[in-house]
Amino acid sequence: METVIFACIHNAGRSQMAAAFFNALAAPTRACALSAGTRPGDQVHPEVQAVMAEVGIDLSGALPRLLTDELARNAGWLITMGCGDACPVVPGLRRDDWPLEDPKGQPLPRVREIRDEIRARVVGLLTRQNWLRVP
């Protein structure tokens, strides 16, 4: 089983959405996702919770967490979420960066666009790696 870490700075928006979509769409015997941040916030952004609830994903209980060596130890991938020079580096993991705008404080229509772009990127990754859940 492959573990993917989605990481951003505060772990309160993009990485939370990516991990939630990944876990909802991945074949559970093939891959799973975690999300973390280098400076975790206090809570998932309310606007992110709202737009994810619109697509049936409840992030009300999700909490930002710190990206630690222990968390990364068993992972195979690190996907950073457009945090530039502040993105974490974890040696030994396959890495990709998805340059995505931070949804914090954005109007709901823009947060929906970011959500939909994240979902499309997650589906692309799952498809390329043959991890997509088969109905």
Side-chain angles (χ1 to χ4, degrees):
M1 166 117 102
E2 191 74 60
T3 299
V4 175
I5 298 174
F6 291 97
C8 59
I9 297 169
H10 300 292
N11 188 223
R14 296 164 286 191
S15 56
Q16 291 281 351
M17 287 191 281
F21 276 129
F22 189 102
N23 289 327
L25 299 170
T29 58
R30 292 192 183 147
C32 67
L34 306 170
S35 69
T38 55
R39 292 192 311 265
D42 295 327
Q43 66 180 12
V44 174
H45 303 311
E47 57 271 32
V48 168
Q49 291 182 44
V51 300
M52 291 301 282
E54 291 173 357
V55 296
I57 296 177
D58 180 8
L59 290 181
S60 63
L63 294 172
R65 68 175 147 189
L66 181 66
L67 177 60
T68 63
D69 290 340
E70 182 179 334
L71 187 67
R73 186 171 295 126
N74 295 317
W77 287 76
L78 173 66
I79 298 178
T80 53
M81 311 298 287
C83 45
D85 292 339
C87 281
V89 174
V90 180
L93 299 184
R94 285 168 280 184
R95 182 157 179 204
D96 196 2
D97 182 64
W98 296 353
L100 298 161
E101 184 179 356
D102 188 347
K104 181 180 181 182
Q106 299 289 337
L108 286 180
R110 180 65 188 129
V111 179
R112 287 182 190 107
E113 291 171 357
I114 295 166
R115 174 200 66 201
D116 294 346
E117 183 176 352
I118 289 170
R119 185 183 188 285
R121 287 176 177 267
V122 166
V123 168
L125 174 64
L126 291 168
T127 301
R128 283 190 305 279
Q129 296 301 318
N130 196 28
W131 296 336
L132 195 60
R133 181 187 309 248
V134 178

